[in-house]
Amino acid sequence: MIKNPYKGKLIAFEGLDGSGQSTQVQKLTEHLKRLHKKDPERFPPVYVTKEPSAGLYGGLVREALRERLRHGPMYGALAMQALFVADRAHHLDHEIIPLLEKGYTVVTDRYAYSTIAYGAAERSELWNCLVVMNETFIEPNATIFLDVSPEFCMERMKISRGHLELYEKQETLKKVLANYRILTKEDPHVFGVKGEKPIQSVFRDVLKIIKKELKLS
């Protein structure tokens, strides 16, 4: 991915389904908004978003995740991640980049590494292809990966909602977790945070990283 050339900062959260990244996205966004309200000259406005997006491609992704849109056995994994990549391209052009140009801090719940971690969990030989498919996108200034076991995530999802989606199977999530850990080691802008601690404790770890990387003080 390419270095963010814009005035604003991009923060991404990654993790297994059920790892709690949506909760941490909300907590960080609320914190950054309080800073902006307190001192708008010093702290930029904040915008929160997620993938799949609310756009046309995002709608197709959601249908596929619910297994209403089925792909073939040979190229299904590639077709699925191609939808995610198309959604990301549209998301960047029409939502994220215009805000970064204005100096916003944009926080996104999932981004490019979801494509690599989940896609390669289905077909490991797709790893390099998925990296290339995402290499022209903007690299987040910081990516927070919530490191949580598949068992913990499965239990949380069973409690929070009554259904599981396409990738929400324990064996699949084990492969996804292994892929995320590889990405964390390879990229100095990806920070692993242990996510099975109490929510506020996890948030303290997240905030410590964000303060350092975005030079907030």
Side-chain angles (χ1 to χ4, degrees), residues 51-53 56-62 64-65 69 71-72 74-92 111-112 114-120 122-123 126-127 129-134 137 166-167:
E51 293 187 358
S53 76
L56 172 63
Y57 296 110
L60 290 173
V61 170
R62 283 189 290 275
L65 287 172
L69 176 63
H71 297 300
M74 181 62 70
Y75 295 108
L78 181 59
M80 180 69 181
Q81 297 310 323
L83 284 176
F84 273 105
V85 171
D87 182 46
R88 187 165 301 122
H90 188 270
H91 193 201
L92 281 162
Y111 193 61
S114 284
T115 292
I116 300 169
Y118 278 86
E122 275 198 281
R123 296 282 296 276
L126 290 179
W127 182 283
C129 175
L130 296 172
V131 170
V132 170
M133 288 169 71
N134 287 275
F137 292 144
L166 179 62
Y167 297 112

Short mmCIF file of all heavy atoms in Angstrom, two decimals, residues 51-53 56-62 64-65 69 71-72 74-92 111-112 114-120 122-123 126-127 129-134 137 166-167:
data_model
loop_
_atom_site.label_atom_id
_atom_site.label_comp_id
_atom_site.label_asym_id
_atom_site.label_seq_id
_atom_site.Cartn_x
_atom_site.Cartn_y
_atom_site.Cartn_z
N GLU A 51 -16.31 -1.28 6.64
CA GLU A 51 -16.41 -2.13 5.45
C GLU A 51 -17.04 -3.46 5.85
O GLU A 51 -16.72 -3.98 6.92
CB GLU A 51 -15.02 -2.36 4.85
CG GLU A 51 -14.40 -1.09 4.27
CD GLU A 51 -13.11 -1.36 3.52
OE1 GLU A 51 -12.64 -2.53 3.49
OE2 GLU A 51 -12.55 -0.41 2.98
N PRO A 52 -17.93 -4.01 4.99
CA PRO A 52 -18.36 -3.44 3.73
C PRO A 52 -19.11 -2.12 3.91
O PRO A 52 -19.77 -1.92 4.93
CB PRO A 52 -19.28 -4.52 3.14
CG PRO A 52 -19.72 -5.34 4.31
CD PRO A 52 -18.58 -5.31 5.28
N SER A 53 -18.98 -1.26 2.91
CA SER A 53 -19.56 0.07 3.00
C SER A 53 -21.06 0.02 2.73
O SER A 53 -21.63 -1.03 2.46
CB SER A 53 -18.87 1.00 2.00
OG SER A 53 -19.34 0.72 0.68
N LEU A 56 -23.11 0.32 -3.33
CA LEU A 56 -23.61 -0.79 -4.14
C LEU A 56 -22.76 -2.05 -3.96
O LEU A 56 -23.29 -3.15 -3.74
CB LEU A 56 -23.62 -0.39 -5.61
CG LEU A 56 -23.95 -1.50 -6.62
CD1 LEU A 56 -25.35 -2.04 -6.40
CD2 LEU A 56 -23.79 -0.99 -8.05
N TYR A 57 -21.44 -1.90 -4.04
CA TYR A 57 -20.56 -3.06 -3.90
C TYR A 57 -20.66 -3.65 -2.49
O TYR A 57 -20.63 -4.86 -2.30
CB TYR A 57 -19.12 -2.68 -4.21
CG TYR A 57 -18.89 -2.25 -5.64
CD1 TYR A 57 -18.61 -0.91 -5.94
CD2 TYR A 57 -18.95 -3.17 -6.68
CE1 TYR A 57 -18.40 -0.50 -7.24
CE2 TYR A 57 -18.74 -2.76 -7.99
CZ TYR A 57 -18.47 -1.42 -8.27
OH TYR A 57 -18.26 -1.02 -9.56
N GLY A 58 -20.79 -2.76 -1.51
CA GLY A 58 -20.96 -3.23 -0.14
C GLY A 58 -22.21 -4.07 0.03
O GLY A 58 -22.22 -5.06 0.78
N GLY A 59 -23.27 -3.69 -0.67
CA GLY A 59 -24.50 -4.48 -0.61
C GLY A 59 -24.31 -5.88 -1.17
O GLY A 59 -24.82 -6.86 -0.62
N LEU A 60 -23.54 -5.99 -2.26
CA LEU A 60 -23.25 -7.30 -2.83
C LEU A 60 -22.43 -8.14 -1.86
O LEU A 60 -22.65 -9.35 -1.72
CB LEU A 60 -22.49 -7.13 -4.16
CG LEU A 60 -23.29 -6.56 -5.33
CD1 LEU A 60 -22.36 -6.29 -6.51
CD2 LEU A 60 -24.41 -7.50 -5.74
N VAL A 61 -21.48 -7.50 -1.19
CA VAL A 61 -20.66 -8.21 -0.20
C VAL A 61 -21.53 -8.77 0.91
O VAL A 61 -21.39 -9.93 1.31
CB VAL A 61 -19.57 -7.30 0.38
CG1 VAL A 61 -18.89 -7.97 1.57
CG2 VAL A 61 -18.52 -6.95 -0.67
N ARG A 62 -22.44 -7.95 1.41
CA ARG A 62 -23.30 -8.41 2.51
C ARG A 62 -24.18 -9.59 2.09
O ARG A 62 -24.42 -10.51 2.87
CB ARG A 62 -24.14 -7.25 3.04
CG ARG A 62 -23.34 -6.30 3.94
CD ARG A 62 -24.25 -5.29 4.61
NE ARG A 62 -24.78 -4.34 3.64
CZ ARG A 62 -24.14 -3.24 3.25
NH1 ARG A 62 -22.95 -2.97 3.73
NH2 ARG A 62 -24.69 -2.42 2.37
N ALA A 64 -23.36 -11.81 -0.13
CA ALA A 64 -22.47 -12.96 -0.20
C ALA A 64 -22.13 -13.49 1.19
O ALA A 64 -22.05 -14.70 1.42
CB ALA A 64 -21.19 -12.60 -0.95
N LEU A 65 -21.94 -12.58 2.14
CA LEU A 65 -21.63 -13.00 3.51
C LEU A 65 -22.79 -13.78 4.12
O LEU A 65 -22.58 -14.69 4.93
CB LEU A 65 -21.30 -11.78 4.37
CG LEU A 65 -19.95 -11.11 4.12
CD1 LEU A 65 -19.85 -9.81 4.91
CD2 LEU A 65 -18.80 -12.04 4.49
N LEU A 69 -25.70 -14.92 -2.05
CA LEU A 69 -25.03 -14.80 -3.34
C LEU A 69 -23.90 -15.82 -3.34
O LEU A 69 -22.91 -15.67 -2.63
CB LEU A 69 -24.48 -13.37 -3.52
CG LEU A 69 -23.66 -13.08 -4.77
CD1 LEU A 69 -24.52 -13.25 -6.02
CD2 LEU A 69 -23.09 -11.67 -4.71
N HIS A 71 -20.84 -18.24 -4.84
CA HIS A 71 -19.78 -18.30 -5.83
C HIS A 71 -19.42 -19.77 -6.09
O HIS A 71 -19.76 -20.66 -5.32
CB HIS A 71 -18.54 -17.54 -5.34
CG HIS A 71 -18.78 -16.08 -5.15
ND1 HIS A 71 -19.19 -15.26 -6.17
CD2 HIS A 71 -18.68 -15.28 -4.05
CE1 HIS A 71 -19.32 -14.02 -5.71
NE2 HIS A 71 -19.02 -14.01 -4.43
N GLY A 72 -18.69 -19.99 -7.16
CA GLY A 72 -18.29 -21.35 -7.52
C GLY A 72 -17.17 -21.88 -6.64
O GLY A 72 -16.49 -21.12 -5.95
N MET A 74 -14.22 -23.19 -7.48
CA MET A 74 -12.85 -22.97 -7.92
C MET A 74 -12.37 -21.55 -7.64
O MET A 74 -11.33 -21.32 -7.04
CB MET A 74 -12.71 -23.29 -9.42
CG MET A 74 -11.28 -23.10 -9.95
SD MET A 74 -10.08 -24.21 -9.17
CE MET A 74 -10.62 -25.76 -9.89
N TYR A 75 -13.17 -20.56 -8.05
CA TYR A 75 -12.74 -19.16 -7.94
C TYR A 75 -13.62 -18.35 -6.99
O TYR A 75 -13.58 -17.13 -6.99
CB TYR A 75 -12.72 -18.51 -9.33
CG TYR A 75 -11.69 -19.12 -10.24
CD1 TYR A 75 -12.07 -19.92 -11.31
CD2 TYR A 75 -10.34 -18.91 -10.01
CE1 TYR A 75 -11.13 -20.50 -12.14
CE2 TYR A 75 -9.38 -19.49 -10.84
CZ TYR A 75 -9.78 -20.28 -11.90
OH TYR A 75 -8.83 -20.85 -12.71
N GLY A 76 -14.40 -19.05 -6.19
CA GLY A 76 -15.30 -18.34 -5.27
C GLY A 76 -14.59 -17.42 -4.30
O GLY A 76 -15.03 -16.30 -4.06
N ALA A 77 -13.46 -17.89 -3.73
CA ALA A 77 -12.73 -17.07 -2.76
C ALA A 77 -12.20 -15.80 -3.41
O ALA A 77 -12.25 -14.71 -2.83
CB ALA A 77 -11.60 -17.88 -2.14
N LEU A 78 -11.69 -15.95 -4.64
CA LEU A 78 -11.17 -14.78 -5.36
C LEU A 78 -12.29 -13.82 -5.73
O LEU A 78 -12.16 -12.61 -5.58
CB LEU A 78 -10.42 -15.24 -6.60
CG LEU A 78 -9.78 -14.14 -7.45
CD1 LEU A 78 -8.79 -13.34 -6.63
CD2 LEU A 78 -9.09 -14.74 -8.67
N ALA A 79 -13.41 -14.36 -6.20
CA ALA A 79 -14.55 -13.51 -6.56
C ALA A 79 -15.06 -12.73 -5.35
O ALA A 79 -15.39 -11.55 -5.45
CB ALA A 79 -15.67 -14.37 -7.15
N MET A 80 -15.11 -13.41 -4.21
CA MET A 80 -15.59 -12.76 -2.99
C MET A 80 -14.69 -11.59 -2.61
O MET A 80 -15.15 -10.48 -2.33
CB MET A 80 -15.63 -13.79 -1.85
CG MET A 80 -16.12 -13.22 -0.54
SD MET A 80 -17.86 -12.79 -0.63
CE MET A 80 -18.12 -12.14 1.01
N GLN A 81 -13.38 -11.82 -2.60
CA GLN A 81 -12.47 -10.76 -2.20
C GLN A 81 -12.38 -9.66 -3.25
O GLN A 81 -12.11 -8.50 -2.92
CB GLN A 81 -11.09 -11.34 -1.89
CG GLN A 81 -11.09 -12.32 -0.72
CD GLN A 81 -11.78 -11.77 0.52
OE1 GLN A 81 -11.67 -10.58 0.83
NE2 GLN A 81 -12.50 -12.63 1.23
N ALA A 82 -12.63 -10.01 -4.52
CA ALA A 82 -12.69 -8.98 -5.56
C ALA A 82 -13.84 -8.01 -5.28
O ALA A 82 -13.73 -6.81 -5.54
CB ALA A 82 -12.84 -9.61 -6.94
N LEU A 83 -14.95 -8.52 -4.75
CA LEU A 83 -16.05 -7.65 -4.36
C LEU A 83 -15.63 -6.71 -3.24
O LEU A 83 -15.96 -5.52 -3.25
CB LEU A 83 -17.26 -8.48 -3.91
CG LEU A 83 -18.09 -9.16 -4.98
CD1 LEU A 83 -19.18 -10.01 -4.33
CD2 LEU A 83 -18.71 -8.15 -5.93
N PHE A 84 -14.90 -7.25 -2.26
CA PHE A 84 -14.41 -6.41 -1.17
C PHE A 84 -13.48 -5.32 -1.70
O PHE A 84 -13.52 -4.17 -1.26
CB PHE A 84 -13.66 -7.26 -0.14
CG PHE A 84 -14.53 -7.86 0.93
CD1 PHE A 84 -14.84 -9.20 0.90
CD2 PHE A 84 -15.01 -7.09 1.98
CE1 PHE A 84 -15.63 -9.78 1.89
CE2 PHE A 84 -15.80 -7.65 2.97
CZ PHE A 84 -16.11 -8.99 2.93
N VAL A 85 -12.60 -5.69 -2.65
CA VAL A 85 -11.66 -4.72 -3.21
C VAL A 85 -12.40 -3.64 -3.99
O VAL A 85 -12.07 -2.45 -3.89
CB VAL A 85 -10.61 -5.44 -4.09
CG1 VAL A 85 -9.76 -4.43 -4.86
CG2 VAL A 85 -9.72 -6.33 -3.23
N ALA A 86 -13.40 -4.04 -4.77
CA ALA A 86 -14.20 -3.06 -5.51
C ALA A 86 -14.91 -2.11 -4.55
O ALA A 86 -14.96 -0.90 -4.78
CB ALA A 86 -15.21 -3.77 -6.40
N ASP A 87 -15.44 -2.66 -3.49
CA ASP A 87 -16.11 -1.83 -2.47
C ASP A 87 -15.11 -0.86 -1.84
O ASP A 87 -15.43 0.31 -1.61
CB ASP A 87 -16.73 -2.74 -1.41
CG ASP A 87 -17.48 -1.96 -0.35
OD1 ASP A 87 -18.26 -1.05 -0.72
OD2 ASP A 87 -17.29 -2.24 0.85
N ARG A 88 -13.90 -1.35 -1.57
CA ARG A 88 -12.87 -0.49 -0.95
C ARG A 88 -12.48 0.66 -1.88
O ARG A 88 -12.32 1.80 -1.42
CB ARG A 88 -11.66 -1.35 -0.58
CG ARG A 88 -10.58 -0.64 0.23
CD ARG A 88 -9.63 -1.65 0.84
NE ARG A 88 -10.39 -2.56 1.69
CZ ARG A 88 -10.41 -3.89 1.51
NH1 ARG A 88 -9.72 -4.47 0.54
NH2 ARG A 88 -11.14 -4.64 2.31
N ALA A 89 -12.33 0.36 -3.16
CA ALA A 89 -11.98 1.40 -4.11
C ALA A 89 -13.05 2.48 -4.16
O ALA A 89 -12.76 3.69 -4.15
CB ALA A 89 -11.77 0.78 -5.50
N HIS A 90 -14.31 2.06 -4.21
CA HIS A 90 -15.43 3.01 -4.22
C HIS A 90 -15.50 3.78 -2.91
O HIS A 90 -15.74 4.99 -2.89
CB HIS A 90 -16.73 2.23 -4.47
CG HIS A 90 -17.91 3.11 -4.70
ND1 HIS A 90 -18.72 3.56 -3.67
CD2 HIS A 90 -18.44 3.65 -5.84
CE1 HIS A 90 -19.69 4.31 -4.16
NE2 HIS A 90 -19.54 4.38 -5.48
N HIS A 91 -15.29 3.07 -1.82
CA HIS A 91 -15.31 3.65 -0.48
C HIS A 91 -14.26 4.75 -0.35
O HIS A 91 -14.52 5.85 0.17
CB HIS A 91 -15.05 2.53 0.53
CG HIS A 91 -15.34 2.87 1.94
ND1 HIS A 91 -14.77 2.17 3.00
CD2 HIS A 91 -16.12 3.81 2.52
CE1 HIS A 91 -15.20 2.67 4.14
NE2 HIS A 91 -16.02 3.66 3.88
N LEU A 92 -13.06 4.49 -0.84
CA LEU A 92 -11.98 5.46 -0.77
C LEU A 92 -12.29 6.68 -1.63
O LEU A 92 -12.19 7.83 -1.17
CB LEU A 92 -10.66 4.83 -1.22
CG LEU A 92 -9.96 3.95 -0.18
CD1 LEU A 92 -8.94 3.03 -0.85
CD2 LEU A 92 -9.29 4.80 0.88
N TYR A 111 -10.52 -2.96 6.89
CA TYR A 111 -9.88 -2.35 5.72
C TYR A 111 -9.17 -3.45 4.93
O TYR A 111 -9.62 -4.60 4.93
CB TYR A 111 -8.94 -1.23 6.19
CG TYR A 111 -8.44 -0.31 5.11
CD1 TYR A 111 -9.31 0.46 4.35
CD2 TYR A 111 -7.07 -0.20 4.84
CE1 TYR A 111 -8.86 1.32 3.35
CE2 TYR A 111 -6.60 0.65 3.85
CZ TYR A 111 -7.49 1.41 3.11
OH TYR A 111 -7.03 2.25 2.13
N ALA A 112 -8.07 -3.13 4.30
CA ALA A 112 -7.45 -4.03 3.33
C ALA A 112 -6.96 -5.35 3.91
O ALA A 112 -7.03 -6.39 3.23
CB ALA A 112 -6.28 -3.32 2.64
N SER A 114 -8.26 -7.22 6.04
CA SER A 114 -9.35 -8.20 6.13
C SER A 114 -9.39 -9.05 4.87
O SER A 114 -9.61 -10.27 4.92
CB SER A 114 -10.70 -7.50 6.32
OG SER A 114 -10.85 -7.04 7.64
N THR A 115 -9.20 -8.40 3.72
CA THR A 115 -9.22 -9.12 2.45
C THR A 115 -8.14 -10.20 2.41
O THR A 115 -8.40 -11.33 2.00
CB THR A 115 -9.01 -8.12 1.29
OG1 THR A 115 -10.15 -7.27 1.20
CG2 THR A 115 -8.81 -8.84 -0.03
N ILE A 116 -6.94 -9.85 2.84
CA ILE A 116 -5.83 -10.81 2.79
C ILE A 116 -6.04 -11.92 3.81
O ILE A 116 -5.92 -13.11 3.49
CB ILE A 116 -4.50 -10.08 3.04
CG1 ILE A 116 -4.27 -9.00 1.96
CG2 ILE A 116 -3.33 -11.08 3.04
CD1 ILE A 116 -3.13 -8.06 2.27
N ALA A 117 -6.37 -11.55 5.04
CA ALA A 117 -6.49 -12.54 6.11
C ALA A 117 -7.62 -13.52 5.85
O ALA A 117 -7.46 -14.74 6.01
CB ALA A 117 -6.69 -11.84 7.46
N TYR A 118 -8.77 -13.02 5.43
CA TYR A 118 -9.93 -13.89 5.20
C TYR A 118 -9.83 -14.63 3.86
O TYR A 118 -10.16 -15.82 3.77
CB TYR A 118 -11.23 -13.09 5.27
CG TYR A 118 -11.71 -12.86 6.68
CD1 TYR A 118 -11.25 -11.79 7.44
CD2 TYR A 118 -12.61 -13.73 7.27
CE1 TYR A 118 -11.69 -11.59 8.74
CE2 TYR A 118 -13.06 -13.53 8.57
CZ TYR A 118 -12.59 -12.46 9.30
OH TYR A 118 -13.02 -12.27 10.59
N GLY A 119 -9.39 -13.92 2.82
CA GLY A 119 -9.30 -14.55 1.51
C GLY A 119 -8.28 -15.68 1.48
O GLY A 119 -8.55 -16.77 0.94
N ALA A 120 -7.12 -15.46 2.08
CA ALA A 120 -6.08 -16.49 2.11
C ALA A 120 -6.44 -17.63 3.06
O ALA A 120 -5.88 -18.72 2.95
CB ALA A 120 -4.74 -15.88 2.50
N GLU A 122 -9.34 -18.99 3.01
CA GLU A 122 -10.09 -19.90 2.13
C GLU A 122 -9.18 -20.60 1.14
O GLU A 122 -9.30 -21.81 0.92
CB GLU A 122 -11.15 -19.10 1.35
CG GLU A 122 -12.45 -18.89 2.08
CD GLU A 122 -13.55 -18.50 1.12
OE1 GLU A 122 -13.60 -17.32 0.74
OE2 GLU A 122 -14.34 -19.38 0.74
N ARG A 123 -8.26 -19.82 0.54
CA ARG A 123 -7.34 -20.38 -0.46
C ARG A 123 -5.97 -19.76 -0.20
O ARG A 123 -5.72 -18.62 -0.58
CB ARG A 123 -7.81 -20.06 -1.88
CG ARG A 123 -9.14 -20.67 -2.28
CD ARG A 123 -9.00 -22.14 -2.65
NE ARG A 123 -8.16 -22.33 -3.81
CZ ARG A 123 -8.58 -22.25 -5.08
NH1 ARG A 123 -9.84 -21.95 -5.34
NH2 ARG A 123 -7.75 -22.46 -6.08
N LEU A 126 -3.85 -17.73 -2.68
CA LEU A 126 -4.28 -16.40 -3.12
C LEU A 126 -3.55 -15.27 -2.41
O LEU A 126 -3.75 -14.09 -2.76
CB LEU A 126 -5.79 -16.24 -2.88
CG LEU A 126 -6.74 -17.05 -3.75
CD1 LEU A 126 -8.18 -16.79 -3.34
CD2 LEU A 126 -6.54 -16.73 -5.23
N TRP A 127 -2.71 -15.58 -1.45
CA TRP A 127 -2.07 -14.55 -0.61
C TRP A 127 -1.44 -13.46 -1.46
O TRP A 127 -1.76 -12.26 -1.31
CB TRP A 127 -1.03 -15.18 0.31
CG TRP A 127 -0.36 -14.21 1.23
CD1 TRP A 127 0.63 -13.31 0.91
CD2 TRP A 127 -0.64 -13.99 2.62
NE1 TRP A 127 0.99 -12.58 2.01
CE2 TRP A 127 0.23 -12.97 3.07
CE3 TRP A 127 -1.52 -14.58 3.53
CZ2 TRP A 127 0.24 -12.53 4.39
CZ3 TRP A 127 -1.52 -14.13 4.84
CH2 TRP A 127 -0.65 -13.12 5.27
N CYS A 129 -1.72 -12.71 -4.62
CA CYS A 129 -2.71 -12.04 -5.47
C CYS A 129 -3.48 -11.00 -4.68
O CYS A 129 -3.70 -9.87 -5.15
CB CYS A 129 -3.65 -13.08 -6.06
SG CYS A 129 -5.01 -12.39 -7.03
N LEU A 130 -3.90 -11.34 -3.48
CA LEU A 130 -4.68 -10.41 -2.65
C LEU A 130 -3.84 -9.21 -2.21
O LEU A 130 -4.35 -8.09 -2.12
CB LEU A 130 -5.24 -11.15 -1.43
CG LEU A 130 -6.24 -12.27 -1.76
CD1 LEU A 130 -6.59 -13.05 -0.51
CD2 LEU A 130 -7.49 -11.72 -2.42
N VAL A 131 -2.56 -9.44 -1.94
CA VAL A 131 -1.66 -8.33 -1.61
C VAL A 131 -1.58 -7.35 -2.78
O VAL A 131 -1.70 -6.13 -2.61
CB VAL A 131 -0.26 -8.85 -1.24
CG1 VAL A 131 0.74 -7.69 -1.14
CG2 VAL A 131 -0.30 -9.62 0.07
N VAL A 132 -1.40 -7.89 -3.99
CA VAL A 132 -1.30 -7.05 -5.18
C VAL A 132 -2.60 -6.29 -5.43
O VAL A 132 -2.58 -5.11 -5.79
CB VAL A 132 -0.93 -7.90 -6.42
CG1 VAL A 132 -1.06 -7.09 -7.70
CG2 VAL A 132 0.48 -8.44 -6.28
N MET A 133 -3.74 -6.92 -5.20
CA MET A 133 -5.03 -6.28 -5.43
C MET A 133 -5.23 -5.06 -4.53
O MET A 133 -6.00 -4.15 -4.86
CB MET A 133 -6.16 -7.28 -5.19
CG MET A 133 -6.28 -8.34 -6.28
SD MET A 133 -7.41 -9.69 -5.83
CE MET A 133 -9.00 -8.86 -5.92
N ASN A 134 -4.52 -5.03 -3.42
CA ASN A 134 -4.68 -3.92 -2.47
C ASN A 134 -3.49 -2.96 -2.42
O ASN A 134 -3.51 -2.01 -1.66
CB ASN A 134 -4.92 -4.49 -1.06
CG ASN A 134 -6.29 -5.09 -0.89
OD1 ASN A 134 -7.25 -4.39 -0.60
ND2 ASN A 134 -6.39 -6.40 -1.06
N PHE A 137 -3.84 0.99 -2.71
CA PHE A 137 -4.69 1.71 -1.76
C PHE A 137 -3.83 2.44 -0.72
O PHE A 137 -2.66 2.13 -0.53
CB PHE A 137 -5.63 0.74 -1.04
CG PHE A 137 -6.68 0.14 -1.94
CD1 PHE A 137 -7.11 -1.17 -1.77
CD2 PHE A 137 -7.26 0.88 -2.96
CE1 PHE A 137 -8.07 -1.73 -2.59
CE2 PHE A 137 -8.24 0.33 -3.79
CZ PHE A 137 -8.64 -0.98 -3.61
N LEU A 166 -20.80 -16.28 6.65
CA LEU A 166 -19.97 -17.14 5.81
C LEU A 166 -18.67 -17.60 6.47
O LEU A 166 -18.36 -18.79 6.48
CB LEU A 166 -19.65 -16.40 4.50
CG LEU A 166 -18.76 -17.13 3.49
CD1 LEU A 166 -19.42 -18.43 3.03
CD2 LEU A 166 -18.46 -16.22 2.30
N TYR A 167 -17.90 -16.67 7.01
CA TYR A 167 -16.58 -17.02 7.53
C TYR A 167 -16.59 -17.38 9.02
O TYR A 167 -15.54 -17.65 9.60
CB TYR A 167 -15.61 -15.85 7.32
CG TYR A 167 -15.37 -15.52 5.86
CD1 TYR A 167 -15.82 -14.33 5.31
CD2 TYR A 167 -14.68 -16.41 5.04
CE1 TYR A 167 -15.60 -14.02 3.98
CE2 TYR A 167 -14.46 -16.12 3.70
CZ TYR A 167 -14.91 -14.91 3.18
OH TYR A 167 -14.69 -14.62 1.87
#
